Amino acid sequence: MSEPITIEMLERRIDRLRGELRRAATTGDRMQARALRAELRQAEHAWDDALADLEDQARPAPQPVHKPMLSIREQVHHALTLLTVPAAPKLIIAVHDAFFPGELVAARLTSLRRDEERSFRVQPFGRPYYLCPALTADLLSPARGLLALSTWPLETRVVGPLSARVDFLAGAIKVAERVAQLPEDAHDAQRLLWRFAASIPGAGSAGITPRSVAELAQAELDVHLDADTADRAAAAARAEERLDGSEALFGARLQRLRRTASST
């Protein structure tokens, strides 16, 4: 079995042929020179092929294509869109972890609302949506620890005395509906459903299913919904009268509230 020809062997052969071709040309042996020139071209072609093989072997393996990571505001937007109600950062993170890829870090949520308000003041309504605080029904000021979407109507973004429970139940229904669309081995989603079920009377007493959680949440929601809707509608009407564009999203300032109170 003949030894495979390496690129080093070809290089030595090319050097030898060039030397012999130079001597044939010097002595005037044209036939020999012609034969050596043809052999040299053949060796050089073989060297080019061998070099191309080396380049192919050294070429790095193709890297997997990764989808670009979503920004933190897009991640929060996805979670709030699923819930359809204002939510605290802890719940937003739990919903994101249960249903969406990537990691949503709690520490990065701390300054998010301030960054959104700063962006709005620089270029009002320059973005399709803003992450803003829910507004308290009494003072129309930012509700501590609750995020909402600017695209929601004021009636949704304002929270009254019953709103925390109403929004919890509404969120439970949305989560249950999403879990029902997933395979049973979606463990993070199942754990989130169980957390909701634990705070809904009757939901955790038997086998927890998306349907049972949604039905029991809806039954309790029906008890509170009318009163909460009326409170929110009244607060939203006051907000539309008293707040400008920025305040309607990010809440009335304390100084303004004091001026309004003193003038009435």
Side-chain angles (χ1 to χ4, degrees), residues 5 9-11 13-14 16-18 21 34-50:
I5 299 176
M9 295 169 63
L10 288 169
E11 288 170 347
R13 181 181 176 189
I14 289 171
R16 178 179 57 80
L17 288 170
R18 284 173 176 169
L21 177 59
R34 189 179 300 112
L36 289 170
R37 189 175 288 110
E39 189 176 352
L40 177 59
R41 282 197 297 269
Q42 185 179 13
E44 288 173 339
H45 287 321
W47 184 89
D48 288 337
D49 292 340

Side-chain angles (χ1 to χ4, degrees), residues 97-99 179 182-194:
D97 290 346
F99 299 111
V179 173
L182 300 177
E184 293 184 359
D185 61 354
H187 301 303
D188 289 341
Q190 292 287 348
R191 279 194 291 270
L192 180 60
L193 183 68
W194 296 339

Side-chain angles (χ1 to χ4, degrees), residues 1-10 12-13:
M1 185 174 181
S2 60
E3 181 182 356
I5 299 176
T6 65
I7 193 169
E8 291 82 3
M9 295 169 63
L10 288 169
R12 289 195 294 270
R13 181 181 176 189

Side-chain angles (χ1 to χ4, degrees), residues 8-237:
E8 291 82 3
M9 295 169 63
L10 288 169
E11 288 170 347
R12 289 195 294 270
R13 181 181 176 189
I14 289 171
D15 289 339
R16 178 179 57 80
L17 288 170
R18 284 173 176 169
E20 293 178 0
L21 177 59
R22 184 171 55 254
R23 286 191 293 272
T26 302
T27 59
D29 190 344
R30 294 184 177 181
M31 290 185 62
Q32 179 68 4
R34 189 179 300 112
L36 289 170
R37 189 175 288 110
E39 189 176 352
L40 177 59
R41 282 197 297 269
Q42 185 179 13
E44 288 173 339
H45 287 321
W47 184 89
D48 288 337
D49 292 340
L51 182 63
D53 290 340
L54 285 177
E55 290 175 342
D56 289 339
Q57 294 170 14
R59 187 172 298 153
Q63 298 298 314
V65 177
H66 297 286
K67 294 182 178 179
M69 289 184 61
L70 295 176
S71 68
I72 182 173
R73 67 189 306 272
E74 290 174 308
Q75 292 174 311
V76 173
H77 180 268
H78 284 174
L80 287 174
T81 299
L82 187 151
L83 288 168
T84 71
V85 291
K90 186 175 182 180
L91 177 57
I92 290 171
I93 293 172
V95 170
H96 176 273
D97 290 346
F99 299 111
F100 301 105
E103 183 181 8
L104 183 56
V105 182
R108 297 178 61 194
L109 287 170
T110 305
S111 61
L112 183 60
R113 190 194 64 76
R114 291 194 301 271
D115 294 341
E116 291 288 288
E117 184 173 2
R118 190 179 301 115
S119 173
F120 181 88
R121 293 186 182 282
V122 171
Q123 188 179 6
F125 301 105
R127 292 176 171 179
Y129 66 86
Y130 291 87
L131 305 174
C132 55
L135 305 182
T136 60
D138 53 354
L139 298 178
L140 303 178
S141 59
R144 185 177 180 84
L146 286 178
L147 283 174
L149 294 179
S150 63
T151 51
W152 291 346
L154 266 170
E155 288 87 346
T156 302
R157 292 189 285 111
V158 172
V159 292
L162 297 172
S163 298
R165 187 59 183 173
V166 165
D167 289 349
F168 173 86
L169 295 169
I173 294 170
K174 293 299 181 181
V175 166
E177 291 173 348
R178 179 60 68 90
V179 173
Q181 301 170 1
L182 300 177
E184 293 184 359
D185 61 354
H187 301 303
D188 289 341
Q190 292 287 348
R191 279 194 291 270
L192 180 60
L193 183 68
W194 296 339
R195 287 172 55 185
F196 275 99
S199 298
I200 299 173
S205 59
I208 297 173
T209 66
R211 181 175 179 178
S212 66
V213 172
E215 288 179 348
L216 290 168
Q218 186 64 58
E220 185 183 348
L221 180 62
D222 291 340
V223 175
H224 306 299
L225 187 59
D226 288 345
D228 180 63
T229 299
D231 290 341
R232 285 174 138 161

